[in-house]
Amino acid sequence: MTAQEVRLCGLLLQEHFGEVVERIGTHLLRGGAQNLRTIANETNTPLDLVKKSLCVLVQHGACEFGSGRRGPGSPVEYRASCERVLRVLRYPRYIYTAKTLYGDTGELIVEEVLQRGHMTMSNTVKTVADRLTHNMEEGRSMEYSEVVSAFSKLVETHFLQRCPPVAEMGTAATSTNPATPGTPAASASTAPPTAESNPDCYKLPHVTLIGRGKRRRSSDDSEEQRGGKKAKMDSESCGDEGIYWQVNFERFHQHFRDQAIISAVASKLDQTSSEIVRTMLRMSEVTTTQTAAYTQPLSANEIFRSLPPNYSISRPILDQYLSLLVDDPMEFVGKSGDSGGGMYVVNLQRALANLARATLESVVQERFGSRSARIFRLLLRKRHLEQKQVEDFAMIPAKEAKDMLYTLLSENLVQLQEIPKTPDHAPSRTFYLYTVNQLPTARLLLQHCYKTVANLIERRLFETKENKRLLEKSQRIEAILASLQASGAEPEQLTEVEEMITAPERQQLEALRHHINKLDSTENQVDETVFLLESYIFSTKTK
Amino acid sequence: MAGLGRGRGRGKGYMSFSIEAVGIGKGENLPPSILQPTPLFPPMEHKPVPLVMGEEAEYMLALKQEFRGNMKTLPFYVRPAVSKKDVERYSDKYQNSEPSDNTLEWNPDTSLSVDTPVDPKPSKKTRVDKEEIIHKLETLEKKEEEVTSDEEEGEKKKQEEEQQDGEEEYDEEEFEEETDYIMSYFDNGEEFGGDSDDNMDEAIY
């Protein structure tokens, strides 16, 4: 947990859950596992607020509780997860992906589950149906069964999963059914169970939900109360109590990674090759584990059969494309054998490494110019070079090459490696070689990205605070306008109210909105880089 | 780090490695040394690439802002219910400007915690802890409901509670006469002469 990560997590918690949760969350992130009393004392927060914050964090999966360090008798300790909090930055991307894959219904389901952390299926279905009904025309409402089918599709493709069962104090729980307390603990390991350790984690509960979404009208308060009571009674009889669902971030990440590879192939080669790679990835979705270095080998015959019908290319052309892909220096696709017309794999790890490398090169190019980027690429390819060799290979005059190298060195993108010729390391008899290590440089850039996003959020909060008075005024005027329009006022009254905001104030508001939108949009885009770098670093860890 | 020049008054200085090796030629002008912190917003030689603008980016932006707005209304946004007031004002009775504790709407499902049947003692403790937490939360909810709904009677209740709590100690002082004088210091002579009936031997001072 670096300082930048903790700072960013703090800002994200503050924006989404309030200052109290932010205080507790950053304290847990900085201090590791702690029990309730320690947290309350060290943050000077009343105990009930601490409990509520911890409940909120556990509900959203950002915090785990487990037995204390001194064995089963010691008080419960809470551990916050930095990685999970940073995912909050990527929520819009998850929701948008669900929309592209499963339409509006899928989008709303994922949005609801992300907002609430853990949700039961019946709750989700009802809320989503109500929301969809609200947006439809009068007289039409959403059937529960449609929402249920979208939900089950999400679960089948593993985008949603059941929440992991809670570990019992002292022993890990592998039983999924809380109704059988008599079963003894299965294993003695004390590792917290992941969602995947549950064999039923993708099994839908047997619940029949029949009904339609209810349209909420603002005038029918009494009906809503009665409807609310009815809804309560319905949820009690639904039968899937205790089975909570959460979003499976790893599956979404797999999808993003596949998308990145396909778009890289499309931009480097052409559309048809990207379709071939897309087919290969789709076929190996289920058979590839999360951390695999490459997909399972697929024979050319299988690929030919599984190509989408509108891409009718002949068999020999497919073979040509495949050999082109294999020969490409980016090494997206590799050949692992000759049976079945040729066995091909997608090199996931190498593809990620290449994508990360392209990101690094592009960063250097945009910050320092194309000649520095040339030097950087040269060093990446040739590993270790002396000062003189850099000048020669890059074809840049000595003075400028020196200057650029020193700039890169001061930014820590390039490192100096000493190789002594004599045991006394005399400087006149030592080789000084410039080198670039991809992995540490990627980590460095990732931390820069976190710092960038944190700065963007802080700037946005600053801008909002500066113009708070103006924003409040405009909100009040909008509220007045809305109520006037609802009660049927004349246009003169409306214009009179609108004129309460002067023209320069309107301009200021416009500029403010523009700035805030830009800052928000930038955060989304920096997150794309963060995703690439994180995936690359993660793929190198599991070797 | 290369060796530092030993004597600062000796021109470029003696360094423990030959300068030619790193690439600085003899007699070449080095860039001037920096005497102050770098400027806060240095002028950039290479301007950043403009943002990607498109339907997708705008839709994700709208999603993000909506999500943030929705999170503020959910019960997960913990607001401390107590707001510090410098002076109690008369209008507070009629203006409920405090953010009420909105986590009351959400009850975390504590049935997810499974207690070990193997060790009854520690499980009882944990069960009791969880039940205590639920119980405390419920009592807190009730207390806060009472406080927020009955604000007009709040002051009276506070007085009553104070009186009930401190009844033993402050009974005479605040209940009977609201003066600043502590009643027990004042002897109004009612008890004088009450003991004189029993023992005539002792002198009375």
Side-chain angles (χ1 to χ4, degrees):
Chain A
M1 241 124 296
T2 65
Q4 296 301 334
E5 286 175 10
V6 174
R7 178 173 160 231
L8 179 56
C9 288
L11 285 167
L12 287 170
L13 285 174
Q14 184 185 342
E15 288 225 291
H16 292 267
F17 300 115
E19 287 189 1
V20 183
V21 179
E22 184 251 326
R23 214 175 336 146
I24 311 278
T26 34
H27 186 77
L28 272 176
L29 285 167
R30 283 209 185 102
Q34 288 161 56
N35 58 14
L36 187 61
R37 278 281 158 198
T38 324
I39 301 172
N41 288 339
E42 288 181 14
T43 55
N44 290 332
T45 328
L47 205 59
D48 60 335
L49 281 179
V50 178
K51 286 180 197 164
K52 280 193 191 120
S53 316
L54 286 172
C55 281
V56 169
L57 287 172
V58 171
Q59 171 83 5
H60 282 83
C63 172
E64 285 171 351
F65 55 90
S67 59
R69 277 167 273 197
R70 281 172 279 161
S74 60
V76 176
E77 285 194 340
Y78 300 91
R79 222 166 291 119
S81 151
C82 191
E83 210 183 291
R84 175 66 183 81
V85 180
L86 289 173
R87 298 280 163 265
V88 175
L89 207 50
R90 213 165 288 155
Y91 280 2
R93 204 169 166 194
Y94 298 141
I95 301 174
Y96 184 73
T97 310
K99 184 189 169 86
T100 52
L101 291 175
Y102 296 109
D104 283 338
T105 321
E107 176 196 1
L108 284 181
I109 292 176
V110 171
E111 191 178 339
E112 281 297 319
V113 180
L114 281 173
Q115 270 182 4
R116 307 242 167 200
H118 301 167
M119 257 185 118
T120 58
M121 180 165 145
S122 38
N123 249 341
T124 322
V125 169
K126 285 190 192 105
T127 326
V128 171
D130 288 342
R131 274 180 78 174
L132 282 169
T133 313
H134 195 62
N135 292 335
M136 286 166 138
E137 312 96 48
E138 291 285 331
R140 293 186 51 202
S141 61
M142 191 71 187
E143 276 273 357
Y144 279 5
S145 55
E146 285 181 44
V147 184
V148 168
S149 70
F151 193 97
S152 38
K153 267 189 258 173
L154 279 166
V155 172
E156 271 165 25
T157 42
H158 293 205
F159 282 107
L160 289 176
Q161 63 187 181
R162 285 201 200 187
C163 299
V166 177
E168 309 183 15
M169 297 303 170
T171 51
T174 51
S175 71
T176 63
N177 216 336
T180 58
T183 56
S187 65
S189 77
T190 50
T194 61
E196 298 284 326
S197 60
N198 180 352
D200 284 342
C201 78
Y202 298 115
K203 201 166 94 171
L204 283 169
H206 294 295
V207 178
T208 45
L209 289 161
I210 306 167
R212 311 185 74 95
K214 293 178 198 51
R215 187 183 297 275
R216 257 195 322 140
R217 294 171 211 275
S218 49
S219 51
D220 293 340
D221 274 319
S222 59
E223 231 182 80
E224 197 191 296
Q225 270 183 15
R226 266 183 274 132
K229 278 192 193 157
K230 262 192 196 168
K232 261 194 205 166
M233 281 166 53
D234 281 358
S235 66
E236 280 169 11
S237 59
C238 254
D240 70 337
E241 294 307 306
I243 304 179
Y244 290 93
W245 297 87
Q246 65 185 12
V247 171
N248 183 5
F249 295 119
E250 293 308 319
R251 178 71 183 86
F252 272 107
H253 292 168
Q254 216 179 334
H255 187 260
F256 295 157
R257 184 197 61 196
D258 294 346
Q259 264 184 338
I261 295 177
I262 293 168
S263 64
V265 173
S267 59
K268 183 108 199 277
L269 298 173
D270 74 336
Q271 186 68 20
T272 320
S273 9
S274 78
E275 280 303 319
I276 296 173
V277 176
R278 191 201 300 266
T279 316
M280 288 174 76
L281 285 168
R282 204 172 8 103
M283 285 161 66
S284 28
E285 245 170 24
V286 211
T287 51
T288 318
T289 57
Q290 183 51 37
T291 53
Y294 36 79
T295 61
Q296 294 294 319
L298 296 165
S299 72
N301 297 329
E302 284 175 5
I303 301 173
F304 185 63
R305 273 199 297 272
S306 323
L307 276 178
N310 47 349
Y311 263 93
S312 53
I313 53 175
S314 62
R315 187 57 206 278
I317 302 207
L318 171 71
D319 286 335
Q320 278 181 1
Y321 266 114
L322 282 169
S323 59
L324 262 178
L325 279 167
V326 169
D327 289 334
D328 189 69
M330 290 289 261
E331 287 181 328
F332 286 122
V333 176
K335 190 163 185 184
S336 70
D338 287 313
S339 60
M343 302 292 278
Y344 296 94
V345 291
V346 178
N347 291 321
L348 296 166
Q349 210 164 26
R350 219 163 294 175
L352 275 174
N354 284 331
L355 285 171
R357 184 167 54 81
T359 312
L360 296 182
E361 287 169 10
S362 137
V363 166
V364 172
Q365 183 167 357
E366 293 304 327
R367 277 182 71 187
F368 301 106
S370 49
R371 295 209 283 179
S372 305
R374 204 182 326 156
I375 296 180
F376 189 79
R377 273 197 294 267
L378 189 68
L379 284 169
L380 266 176
R381 219 140 292 188
K382 301 264 183 179
R383 307 296 178 86
H384 295 269
L385 285 176
E386 269 185 347
Q387 169 86 39
K388 195 80 183 40
Q389 290 172 307
V390 171
E391 291 161 21
D392 290 339
F393 282 127
M395 295 182 285
I396 296 176
K399 220 191 220 171
E400 293 167 34
K402 215 182 328 170
D403 203 24
M404 290 177 202
L405 268 173
Y406 292 161
T407 320
L408 287 175
L409 192 62
S410 67
E411 298 282 336
N412 230 343
L413 290 163
V414 156
Q415 280 90 40
L416 206 53
Q417 168 81 37
E418 296 175 7
I419 301 187
K421 285 191 236 183
T422 53
D424 63 349
H425 287 251
S428 57
R429 290 188 291 275
T430 316
F431 286 118
Y432 289 95
L433 300 175
Y434 290 96
T435 181
V436 176
N437 292 321
Q438 194 171 330
L439 187 56
T441 316
R443 282 186 209 269
L444 172 75
L445 271 185
L446 184 61
Q447 295 305 315
H448 281 331
C449 287
Y450 289 143
K451 185 172 175 184
T452 311
V453 182
N455 287 346
L456 285 167
I457 298 180
E458 290 225 16
R459 181 74 201 188
R460 180 162 46 82
L461 291 174
F462 172 76
E463 295 266 329
T464 319
K465 202 163 70 160
E466 281 273 296
N467 296 298
K468 196 165 110 162
R469 197 198 124 263
L470 193 58
L471 277 171
E472 276 176 7
K473 180 175 174 185
S474 82
Q475 274 173 359
R476 256 185 292 134
I477 291 188
E478 274 173 30
I480 295 173
L481 272 176
S483 64
L484 274 181
Q485 273 178 345
S487 60
E490 296 148 15
E492 289 101 34
Q493 281 180 321
L494 291 176
T495 42
E496 206 181 296
V497 170
E498 271 174 18
E499 272 165 24
M500 279 163 68
I501 308 185
T502 62
E505 278 182 347
R506 227 177 264 279
Q507 270 181 351
Q508 213 180 336
L509 265 177
E510 243 338 284
L512 174 67
R513 273 197 196 119
H514 181 72
H515 288 155
I516 292 186
N517 284 349
K518 256 218 155 104
L519 290 167
D520 261 331
S521 193
T522 317
E523 281 171 40
N524 283 343
Q525 287 185 26
V526 176
D527 179 65
E528 288 181 17
T529 315
V530 165
F531 170 71
L532 267 178
L533 293 172
E534 270 182 2
S535 312
Y536 165 60
I537 293 172
F538 182 72
S539 72
T540 54
K541 269 189 204 163
T542 53
K543 252 186 185 164
Chain B
M1 282 283 286
L4 297 169
R6 225 173 281 153
R8 281 178 211 144
R10 292 190 206 170
K12 287 267 163 65
Y14 161 75
M15 280 179 242
S16 58
F17 61 96
S18 84
I19 314 182
E20 279 94 26
V22 193
I24 308 173
K26 221 174 181 186
E28 228 178 273
N29 287 328
L30 295 168
S33 52
I34 299 174
L35 295 167
Q36 56 186 338
T38 49
L40 200 52
F41 293 109
M44 290 172 66
E45 298 157 3
H46 305 276
K47 302 271 184 259
V49 182
L51 289 178
V52 172
M53 276 300 163
E55 207 185 290
E56 191 181 317
E58 281 176 24
Y59 193 80
M60 286 221 274
L61 173 68
L63 276 176
K64 181 177 183 143
Q65 290 178 335
E66 250 181 58
F67 192 88
R68 251 208 320 265
N70 286 341
M71 286 305 275
K72 289 205 156 67
T73 61
L74 282 179
F76 301 120
Y77 199 92
V78 177
R79 291 189 178 94
V82 179
S83 60
K84 288 186 191 154
K85 289 183 222 172
D86 42 2
V87 176
E88 254 186 53
R89 297 177 194 273
Y90 179 78
S91 59
D92 288 339
K93 269 201 277 182
Y94 300 103
Q95 228 181 50
N96 187 1
S97 57
E98 283 180 23
S100 62
D101 202 0
N102 56 356
T103 53
L104 298 177
E105 300 161 17
W106 164 60
N107 289 320
D109 189 356
T110 44
S111 67
L112 288 177
S113 64
V114 183
D115 298 309
T116 351
V118 182
D119 292 324
K121 276 180 191 170
S123 79
K124 266 187 195 163
K125 274 189 195 166
T126 59
R127 221 180 281 144
V128 160
D129 280 350
K130 295 246 161 31
E131 282 180 356
E132 268 180 21
I133 294 173
I134 306 170
H135 192 61
K136 276 186 190 168
L137 279 176
E138 285 175 4
T139 46
L140 279 170
E141 284 172 29
K142 283 178 198 157
K143 271 193 196 164
E144 288 176 38
E145 278 176 16
E146 288 174 4
V147 170
T148 55
S149 63
D150 298 333
E151 275 202 341
E152 293 178 341
E153 301 175 353
E155 291 173 359
K156 284 188 198 163
K157 266 201 177 174
K158 276 186 199 163
Q159 280 185 7
E160 282 178 13
E161 281 177 9
E162 276 179 17
Q163 286 164 8
Q164 281 165 15
D165 286 339
E167 209 165 63
E168 295 119 17
E169 298 165 31
Y170 303 114
D171 201 13
E172 292 181 3
E173 294 169 16
E174 289 183 33
F175 212 30
E176 315 219 59
E177 272 180 44
E178 289 192 5
T179 61
D180 287 335
Y181 300 104
I182 301 173
M183 294 302 282
S184 53
Y185 287 173
F186 172 62
D187 185 17
N188 60 0
E190 288 176 358
E191 294 162 356
F192 183 73
D195 300 328
S196 57
D197 296 331
D198 296 330
N199 275 326
M200 292 304 285
D201 298 333
E202 285 182 30
I204 295 168
Y205 297 100

